[in-house]
Amino acid sequence: MMKKIRTAGAAAAALLAVYMLSGCADAIKDGTKALEEGRYEEAQELFQEAAGDADDKTAAEAYRGLGMAYYEQEEYTSALEAFQTALDKGGEQTVQIYNLMGICGMKTSDYGSALGYFQSGLAMAETSAGEDTDAGLIQEMRYNEIVCYEQTADWESAKQKISEYLADYPGDETAEKEAEFLETR
């Protein structure tokens, strides 16, 4: 049974991440505007220009924007590399960026890495309880965590997580079907 990747919150998370860009350079401001307007190739070019900045903070913001431009163009390997470079350059670690990285991992069938990204994001959400973390995003990440366990054939972890998930989100029909599937494993 092929599991559905939940990405409904990905677009909202990507937009939220866009607004977190501080716009230190004109290329970043222009790239952010192009991204918001759906001009992804133009945004990509502008963020690539800004990524060459010697200042790590500006470069990190540019790589985050570049990652989002690649993501929107469904170039998931490039998006993941750009997001990782943003973090490596000291960019802000957020639940949203870890979610996007996890989705990129799933889209490229690297479920082990995707699982790690989702778990990092979920751990961050737990430690920042009370802050402005979208409950729908957390639910999406928890579901995708289960899918990653399934895809890596870690059936016991998947069963445990689906049980916890359904306790917190009763009535989720998709998850209930996944629980039925997992009972056959």
Side-chain angles (χ1 to χ4, degrees), residues 81-104:
E81 290 171 2
F83 289 137
Q84 187 61 58
T85 302
L87 295 178
D88 292 346
K89 291 195 170 286
E92 183 181 3
Q93 295 182 30
T94 65
V95 174
Q96 294 83 0
I97 200 166
Y98 282 116
N99 182 54
L100 291 170
M101 292 172 79
I103 291 170
C104 288

Side-chain angles (χ1 to χ4, degrees), residues 164-185:
E164 294 169 4
Y165 179 94
L166 286 171
D168 290 340
Y169 308 106
D172 183 327
E173 292 178 17
T174 303
E176 288 171 355
K177 288 178 184 175
E178 287 302 314
E180 289 175 19
F181 167 76
L182 285 169
E183 289 303 315
T184 66
R185 301 288 155 203

Side-chain angles (χ1 to χ4, degrees), residues 1 9 29 44 52-53 55 57 77 79 95 98 109 118-119 123-124 134 142 149 154 181:
M1 172 180 212
K29 287 179 187 177
Q44 179 181 329
D53 194 296
D55 176 60
K57 182 179 178 183
T77 300
V95 174
Y98 282 116
S109 299
F118 290 128
Q119 290 174 334
M124 181 174 284
D134 177 13
R142 287 184 62 193
Y149 277 125
D154 185 346
F181 167 76

Side-chain angles (χ1 to χ4, degrees), residues 35-181:
L35 194 61
E36 290 169 346
E37 294 174 354
R39 295 179 283 124
Y40 304 123
E41 290 180 13
E42 181 181 343
Q44 179 181 329
E45 291 174 16
L46 290 161
F47 287 127
Q48 283 174 330
E49 177 185 325
D53 194 296
D55 176 60
D56 276 351
K57 182 179 178 183
T58 301
E61 291 175 6
Y63 276 107
R64 182 187 310 253
L66 186 57
M68 290 183 302
Y70 282 131
Y71 182 91
E72 292 297 336
Q73 295 175 85
E74 299 180 3
E75 295 179 31
Y76 299 113
T77 300
S78 296
L80 185 55
E81 290 171 2
F83 289 137
Q84 187 61 58
T85 302
L87 295 178
D88 292 346
K89 291 195 170 286
E92 183 181 3
Q93 295 182 30
T94 65
V95 174
Q96 294 83 0
I97 200 166
Y98 282 116
N99 182 54
L100 291 170
M101 292 172 79
I103 291 170
C104 288
M106 290 176 78
K107 293 287 190 176
T108 59
S109 299
D110 185 355
Y111 293 97
S113 294
L115 178 62
Y117 296 129
F118 290 128
Q119 290 174 334
S120 293
L122 289 167
M124 181 174 284
E126 279 184 27
T127 60
S128 62
E131 291 184 21
D132 213 16
T133 303
D134 177 13
L137 178 63
I138 299 305
Q139 182 177 356
E140 175 185 320
M141 291 176 74
R142 287 184 62 193
Y143 182 86
N144 285 339
E145 179 183 35
I146 296 162
V147 172
C148 289
Y149 277 125
E150 290 178 15
Q151 291 297 319
T152 59
D154 185 346
W155 305 114
E156 292 308 311
S157 295
K159 288 177 186 179
Q160 176 187 347
K161 292 295 182 177
I162 195 74
S163 176
E164 294 169 4
Y165 179 94
L166 286 171
D168 290 340
Y169 308 106
D172 183 327
E173 292 178 17
T174 303
E176 288 171 355
K177 288 178 184 175
E178 287 302 314
E180 289 175 19
F181 167 76

Side-chain angles (χ1 to χ4, degrees), residues 18-29:
V18 169
Y19 293 117
M20 293 173 13
L21 292 172
S22 65
C24 294
D26 287 342
I28 291 178
K29 287 179 187 177

